[in-house]
Amino acid sequence: MFSIPLGSLVPEYIKKFEPYVPSKPDQELMKMYGCERLYRLNNNENPLGPPPASQEIIRQLWPPKAGIYPSGDIYYMRYRLAEKFNMHPDQFLFGNGANEVIAFVIKAFCQEGDNIITADKTFAVYEWVATFSGFEARLVPLRDFGFDDAGMLDQIDERTKILFVCNPNNPTGTYWNEDTLRNFLDVIGGRQIVVVDEAYCEFVEKEDYPDGMKLVEEYPNLVVFRTFSKMYGLAGLRIGYLAGNLEVVDIIRRTCVVYSVNTVAQDTALAAIDDDDHVRRTRDLVRTEKAYLNAELDLLGLETQSGEGCYIMIKLPMSDTLAYRKLMSEGVMIRSMTGFRFPNWIRVSIGKHEAMEAFADALRKILAR
């Protein structure tokens, strides 16, 4: 039996990195917490699921198709997006969820000694990928729960390659309007890559919210992320993409792992992209249930952070990890926010009314104990 010299094999930046441990499957959690039903309000999933046409593709899946490799460059989806956004098909690059395209971008532009800049309390994968790839992640504190544009600009130096902006921000729901984003891009002047993650853009109804796709031609250093996991309810199939300038995307493509997006994901996404009625029905549900939940939280006298997107943050008078366990015992799964550097806060996804009532009842119960 050989002894593996992990001390010398493993880079120092990997030794310091704590792995992310996903939660157990729902059935195991229900056994663990003794609940007969579990409302999933932890991952910002669409309670309506995929659009009807996507659901029909899943039902009609021809089994032999599973033995055939998918389109390696997601051909039809890229051409459909090009038509939808009036861009070239080669301006789009797909990944196994938007998480994968984050890695593509960082690998394409960063080398030893480089850094990326983002916020300290945002979607953590930008920081994680940079850190476990051996690059510095400079984290700028939020200002009034929003990305601090001036603070991010102050952190730029000659080794800064990429700035990541989550718009709207997950988990706070704040967003940059078009003036703020344009000013940020103007000051940077094309010297660094600016990634705007629009994972929740379809939920935003504010008129001053910028559409990153419309800015790509004007700002060639802008890269836009989008996903089918949230509004289009395809989180379980893992499909997301980036869009940008042709030359920039050509560079990123060199780090892209082909065949990582499966056939079912491609077919269902293609069926989903034009379903405006699904977007309208989802927005209506989120708007209605968010108003209901905010009213219930007001009655409890709790501090909240409720912006754009399909989620609300709530500050509790107890540990968020303790609240997670107590709510799980009541059959409600939420996201504890210590991992987002928001101790004693939880994030709750907006679900159907039954789920919102179950959460409100469970929260009242655990706070009264």
Side-chain angles (χ1 to χ4, degrees):
M1 177 73 74
F2 292 106
S3 160
I4 304 172
L6 292 177
S8 58
L9 286 175
V10 181
E12 289 301 318
Y13 53 82
I14 294 294
K15 292 177 186 173
K16 297 173 184 173
F17 195 82
E18 292 289 332
Y20 176 78
V21 181
S23 61
K24 290 182 166 56
D26 288 4
Q27 292 301 319
E28 300 304 314
L29 290 171
M30 289 166 66
K31 283 189 281 186
M32 186 184 305
Y33 287 95
C35 50
E36 296 181 351
R37 178 164 187 177
L38 188 60
Y39 292 100
R40 294 177 54 87
L41 302 177
N42 61 321
N43 277 340
N44 302 338
E45 294 154 346
N46 189 330
L48 299 182
S54 302
Q55 294 190 27
E56 187 61 22
I57 287 171
I58 295 167
R59 276 191 289 268
Q60 299 295 329
L61 178 65
W62 183 52
K65 203 169 183 178
I68 301 170
Y69 277 97
S71 168
D73 65 353
I74 301 83
Y75 183 90
Y76 291 114
M77 194 68 229
R78 288 190 302 107
Y79 274 77
R80 180 65 196 95
L81 290 179
E83 184 181 357
K84 182 180 179 70
F85 295 114
N86 194 29
M87 296 164 73
H88 191 283
D90 290 346
Q91 289 184 263
F92 299 92
L93 196 58
F94 276 77
N96 188 255
N99 283 356
E100 192 174 45
V101 301
I102 294 172
F104 294 164
V105 175
I106 289 177
K107 284 188 287 187
F109 294 104
C110 291
Q111 57 186 322
E112 186 176 0
D114 288 341
N115 67 73
I116 65 115
I117 297 173
T118 189
D120 64 338
K121 297 173 180 176
T122 185
F123 187 55
V125 178
Y126 323 127
E127 174 191 349
W128 291 350
V129 175
T131 303
F132 64 57
S133 300
F135 310 122
E136 180 188 2
R138 296 185 174 182
L139 308 180
V140 178
L142 295 181
R143 187 180 61 195
D144 297 329
F145 291 100
F147 270 65
D148 180 356
D149 51 338
M152 293 180 73
L153 293 170
D154 285 344
Q155 287 294 311
I156 294 175
D157 65 15
E158 69 279 2
R159 299 307 302 266
T160 300
K161 293 294 183 65
I162 312 166
L163 298 100
F164 286 93
V165 178
C166 190
N167 204 41
N169 187 33
N170 172 21
T172 61
T174 53
Y175 71 97
W176 281 0
N177 61 25
E178 184 161 341
D179 288 344
T180 302
L181 179 57
R182 280 183 173 279
N183 181 67
F184 188 76
L185 290 163
D186 287 339
V187 172
I188 288 175
R191 288 182 292 276
Q192 285 83 26
I193 298 296
V194 175
V195 171
V196 177
D197 187 342
E198 297 184 340
Y200 295 91
C201 67
E202 295 93 351
F203 294 91
V204 184
E205 299 181 85
K206 298 289 179 59
E207 291 185 0
D208 62 348
Y209 177 74
D211 180 347
M213 294 295 186
K214 295 179 178 175
L215 300 177
V216 166
E217 184 174 358
E218 188 175 348
Y219 296 98
N221 62 322
L222 173 63
V223 174
V224 177
F225 287 175
R226 292 200 178 178
T227 179
F228 285 88
S229 295
K230 305 305 178 184
M231 176 57 79
Y232 296 106
L234 297 174
L237 296 178
R238 312 306 300 135
I239 178 168
Y241 65 97
L242 62 78
N245 170 272
L246 265 176
E247 286 183 272
V248 170
V249 174
D250 181 60
I251 294 294
I252 300 171
R253 184 174 290 109
R254 300 172 195 196
T255 70
C256 173
V257 179
V258 296
Y259 298 114
S260 70
V261 181
N262 69 69
T263 300
V264 182
Q266 294 186 38
D267 291 350
T268 52
L270 190 59
I273 190 66
D274 292 320
D275 193 337
D276 294 334
D277 185 58
H278 179 77
V279 174
R280 180 191 58 75
R281 288 187 296 116
T282 302
R283 283 180 170 181
D284 288 347
L285 183 148
V286 169
R287 192 185 314 112
T288 300
E289 297 307 327
K290 188 184 283 189
Y292 163 78
L293 185 55
N294 271 319
E296 291 293 311
L297 296 169
D298 283 347
L299 290 174
L300 290 170
L302 295 172
E303 181 181 349
T304 60
Q305 171 57 31
S306 176
E308 305 305 310
C310 54
Y311 43 83
I312 292 176
M313 283 177 57
I314 306 162
K315 188 174 186 181
L316 299 179
M318 66 169 67
S319 155
D320 54 320
T321 53
L322 175 61
Y324 171 87
R325 294 193 296 273
K326 289 186 172 186
L327 289 168
M328 283 295 296
S329 297
E330 301 297 327
V332 179
M333 181 158 52
I334 51 81
R335 177 58 61 94
S336 60
M337 296 301 291
T338 293
F340 276 76
R341 302 189 177 94
F342 276 109
N344 296 347
W345 287 76
I346 60 173
R347 188 195 65 196
V348 181
S349 308
I350 302 300
K352 291 182 178 178
H353 191 66
E354 178 185 347
M356 294 293 92
E357 284 188 318
F359 167 70
D361 290 345
L363 186 60
R364 272 191 293 270
K365 191 173 177 180
I366 70 167
L367 291 176
R369 286 174 185 166

